[in-house]
């Protein structure tokens, strides 16, 4: 809750009117807009049409931005059900929906296992369709590593981040890329703070520092 602050020099007591958060208002407008879109497309195309699923995905993104993770997960799952019927189980659209479900659940910090299941399925689809060395597949693996990190599974997280870092070095033709630096710094922090491997951590800290 925001507390009203008197303007400088006025010396008046507050009227008690709460300050309006413009960002929150904008997020709510986006949510309301996409709710209307979902309703309109449901009436026009039906609840099982991909156009309706696309609106559901946008609504989920708006709810995700508003940090309403529970609602976002439910909305993304609704879209996923439509996509599965339209495209089957092996399609990049399915992978994108699964990524969103995993991201929302990981931010909700309640059911990490469910988040990992969704992200792992999305990563598997990308590996089969694009190859494990594709940038989108690597980004999916990076998201999985992040969930393990948040879950406190530091050994597994570090193992995944090492694979991500090696893949990004190969994709971008060396170590001089921001995503490599970010991965190196994250890995260094895990090794130093969580696994007490300061020697190896120092290597990754220096690598990240060199890139930045």
């Amino acid at each position: 809750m925001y507390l009203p602050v008197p303007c400088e020099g006025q010396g008046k007591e507050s009227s008690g009117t709460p300050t309006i958060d413009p960002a929150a208002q904008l997020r709510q407008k986006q949510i309301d807009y996409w709710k209307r879109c979902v309703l309109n497309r449901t009436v026009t195309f039906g609840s099982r049409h991909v156009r309706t699923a696309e609106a559901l995905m946008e609504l989920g993104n708006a709810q995700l931005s508003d940090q309403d993770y529970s609602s976002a997960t439910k909305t993304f799952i609704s879209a996923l059900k439509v996509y599965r019927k339209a495209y089957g189980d092996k399609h990049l659209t399915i992978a994108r929906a699964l990524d969103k479900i995993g991201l929302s659940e990981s931010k909700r910090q309640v059911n990490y296992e469910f988040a990992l299941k969704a992200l792992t399925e999305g990563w598997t689809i990308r590996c089969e369709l694009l190859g494990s060395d594709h940038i989108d597949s690597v980004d999916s693996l990076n998201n999985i590593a992040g969930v393990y990190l948040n879950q406190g599974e530091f050994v597994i997280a570090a193992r995944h981040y090492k694979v991500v870092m090696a893949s990004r070095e190969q994709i971008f033709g060396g170590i001089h890329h921001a995503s490599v630096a970010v991965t190196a710094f994250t890995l260094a922090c895990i090794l130093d703070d969580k696994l007490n491997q300061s020697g190896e951590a120092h290597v990754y800290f220096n690598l990240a520092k060199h890139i930045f």
Side-chain angles (χ1 to χ4, degrees):
M1 178 178 179
Y2 289 85
L3 297 178
V5 180
C7 296
E8 185 177 354
Q10 286 185 335
K12 295 181 180 180
E13 292 183 359
S14 167
S15 63
T17 303
T19 302
I20 298 175
D21 183 357
Q25 280 190 322
L26 178 59
R27 292 193 299 269
Q28 187 58 52
K29 286 181 179 179
Q30 291 173 332
I31 290 172
D32 293 340
Y33 171 80
W34 285 112
K35 282 183 177 179
R36 290 195 299 271
C37 284
V38 170
L39 179 60
N40 291 337
R41 293 188 186 185
T42 300
V43 172
T44 303
F45 303 109
S47 61
R48 298 182 180 182
H49 198 280
V50 292
R51 292 289 301 277
T52 304
E54 290 168 359
L56 283 167
M57 289 295 293
E58 293 296 342
L59 173 58
N61 286 331
Q63 292 167 331
L64 194 61
S65 297
D66 197 44
Q67 299 182 9
D68 185 359
Y69 304 128
S70 180
S71 296
T73 296
K74 293 177 182 177
T75 302
F76 289 136
I77 289 175
S78 296
L80 177 63
K81 290 178 180 178
V82 177
Y83 285 143
R84 285 196 191 278
K85 291 182 179 180
Y87 301 122
D89 291 331
K90 302 297 181 183
H91 196 279
L92 292 178
T93 303
I94 303 295
R96 285 192 288 270
L98 288 165
D99 284 349
K100 291 295 185 177
I101 293 170
L103 176 63
S104 180
E105 278 300 288
S106 65
K107 287 182 176 295
R108 196 159 72 99
Q109 299 181 350
V110 174
N111 193 343
Y112 285 119
E113 292 301 322
F114 184 65
L116 282 171
K117 182 179 179 181
L119 290 171
T120 300
E121 185 181 351
W123 172 71
T124 302
I125 293 172
R126 283 196 168 95
C127 288
E128 290 181 4
L129 298 179
L130 302 174
S132 60
D133 57 345
H134 191 279
I135 184 61
D136 290 345
S137 301
V138 176
D139 287 346
S140 290
L141 185 60
N142 185 72
N143 291 336
I144 293 172
V147 175
Y148 278 119
L149 177 59
N150 293 335
Q151 199 177 15
E153 297 286 353
F154 303 120
V155 173
I156 301 175
R159 186 188 310 140
H160 281 69
Y161 279 125
K162 287 180 180 179
V163 175
V164 169
M165 183 173 167
S167 298
R168 285 177 170 171
E169 287 179 1
Q170 182 177 3
I171 291 170
F172 297 112
I175 63 172
H176 301 286
H177 193 274
S179 65
V180 177
V182 171
T183 308
F185 183 77
T186 302
L187 184 53
C189 290
I190 297 172
L191 293 170
D192 190 36
D193 297 338
K194 305 300 182 181
L195 300 178
N196 297 317
Q197 298 178 17
S198 57
E200 188 177 2
H202 185 69
V203 175
Y204 290 107
F205 275 130
N206 283 339
L207 177 59
K209 181 179 179 181
H210 178 70
I211 298 173
F212 284 133

